[in-house]
Amino acid sequence: MAKEKKAVEKEYTVEEKLRSLYRLQTIVTDIDKIKTLRGELPLEVQDLEDEVAGLETRYQNYQTEIKDYENAVVTQKAKIKESTGLVEKYKTQLDNVRNNREFDNLSKEIEFQGLEVEFADKKIKEFTEAIVTKKEEIIHCKELLEGRKADLVQKKSELDEIVSETKQEEEKLREKAKKVEDTIEPRLLTAFKRIRKGARNGLAVVCIQRDACGGCFNKIPPQKQMDIKLHKKIIVCEYCGRIMVDQEIADEIGK
Ligand SMILES: [Zn+2]
């Protein structure tokens, strides 16, 4: 964009610059009014979208966790089956032991497998309890998610309605603003945007009203008012930093 500007770059007088700045201000103020109309809706929609996405992730995580616990239960059950099988096998072998050592070894094995079964039982109990808890959480999460989704649909339709009502108007204003911006030198445009950003009411360029700055309402000394009227210099308010124009320029643009 910067390159394109070079081609059309031309020298503007300070008066022309002031006019462009004031014109741009009136256009962006109109865009601001549309935004005010939309109010907090875009933010609310954004917040809800974030919340819904977060809840969906949480919901999926719960499902994965439940699946993991269920798989773990299956594994522990298989272990029990294996250990129980071994115990049976060792018990039949006990009937045919040839010496004390064999008897002791088999008894130890039987005891060990018994402990394995106990341990697996404990694990299954733990995992089953965890599944119950997760399932309760998932129900709560689902309720929350459905509620937020419904809120989102509602807010979004409200926003869509307002946007569609004002869309054309906003687009026209944005095009107009773009055209005016292209006639303003980048340095000045940056300053305009910076001042505007810092100004509570979005006003970067203000008209003198009753000998006072139209932005912060502090009195402007007569000499400074004279300088502003001459259109020879871009003058900013010493209190709020806004660019000031006189009534003449404001009236011209207002037409
Ligand atoms: Zn001021």
Side-chain angles (χ1 to χ4, degrees):
M1 256 199 283
K3 270 181 241 157
E4 284 169 35
K5 253 175 211 163
K6 271 245 154 84
V8 290
E9 209 168 82
K10 76 172 229 206
E11 277 304 310
Y12 290 103
T13 64
V14 171
E15 192 173 273
E16 284 169 325
K17 286 176 187 178
L18 287 168
R19 251 187 237 126
S20 294
L21 285 169
Y22 192 78
R23 184 174 287 121
L24 181 60
Q25 181 63 63
T26 59
I27 298 166
V28 294
T29 297
D30 283 345
I31 296 174
D32 286 347
K33 280 180 193 156
I34 289 175
K35 283 187 182 162
T36 306
L37 202 62
R38 288 176 196 158
E40 297 288 306
L41 272 176
L43 263 180
E44 284 172 30
V45 166
Q46 182 62 55
D47 284 350
L48 278 169
E49 276 172 348
D50 292 346
E51 207 180 340
V52 164
L55 284 170
E56 263 164 359
T57 308
R58 202 194 294 174
Y59 183 74
Q60 279 161 8
N61 287 345
Y62 282 148
Q63 276 183 321
T64 312
E65 284 170 40
I66 289 171
K67 260 262 153 337
D68 288 347
Y69 281 128
E70 282 170 348
N71 287 335
V73 167
V74 170
T75 308
Q76 295 302 323
K77 277 185 176 164
K79 273 189 187 163
I80 290 174
K81 204 179 166 194
E82 197 194 332
S83 293
T84 316
L86 285 172
V87 168
E88 304 251 320
K89 197 179 93 184
Y90 296 148
K91 275 184 177 166
T92 50
Q93 283 174 359
L94 268 184
D95 297 335
N96 308 306
V97 284
R98 283 161 297 182
N99 51 46
N100 277 343
R101 229 192 67 191
E102 261 184 55
F103 182 86
D104 285 347
N105 281 344
L106 280 171
S107 299
K108 265 185 205 156
E109 269 306 317
I110 290 167
E111 194 191 8
F112 175 74
Q113 293 304 333
L115 290 173
E116 288 279 85
V117 171
E118 256 176 55
F119 183 71
D121 267 333
K122 214 180 117 201
K123 284 281 162 212
I124 288 172
K125 222 181 132 199
E126 266 175 45
F127 296 156
T128 312
E129 275 166 16
I131 290 170
V132 171
T133 311
K134 290 285 164 204
K135 280 190 173 163
E136 278 164 13
E137 281 169 2
I138 216 169
I139 289 169
H140 177 66
C141 179
K142 183 98 186 156
E143 275 171 14
L144 211 59
L145 182 59
E146 295 306 324
R148 287 296 178 271
K149 271 184 175 169
D151 290 345
L152 180 59
V153 168
Q154 165 77 20
K155 289 276 175 203
K156 233 178 170 168
S157 81
E158 276 174 43
L159 180 61
D160 286 348
E161 202 177 312
I162 296 175
V163 169
S164 74
E165 278 169 13
T166 51
K167 203 179 171 202
Q168 264 194 320
E169 197 189 339
E170 190 185 351
E171 272 170 15
K172 257 192 246 163
L173 287 168
R174 288 202 184 279
E175 274 170 40
K176 258 168 93 178
K178 182 80 189 51
K179 274 183 196 151
V180 178
E181 279 182 11
D182 285 344
T183 68
I184 300 172
E185 59 188 297
R187 197 181 49 84
L188 202 53
L189 187 59
T190 306
F192 172 87
K193 286 180 177 171
R194 194 195 61 238
I195 299 168
R196 188 168 133 73
K197 215 174 163 188
R200 198 177 37 78
N201 51 11
L203 294 178
V205 186
V206 292
C207 182
I208 304 175
Q209 287 169 352
R210 288 183 215 93
D211 302 325
C213 163
C216 67
F217 308 111
N218 277 298
K219 286 274 175 223
I220 309 296
Q223 182 55 50
K224 203 160 195 178
Q225 287 190 48
M226 286 295 293
D227 290 341
I228 292 166
K229 282 199 177 96
L230 287 176
H231 308 157
K232 293 291 173 217
K233 248 165 66 182
I234 291 173
I235 296 171
V236 299
C237 169
E238 62 179 293
Y239 301 101
C240 68
R242 291 180 174 94
I243 297 162
M244 293 186 290
V245 297
D246 64 340
Q247 198 59 49
E248 190 192 323
I249 285 187
D251 286 344
E252 271 177 44
I253 305 304
K255 270 174 215 162

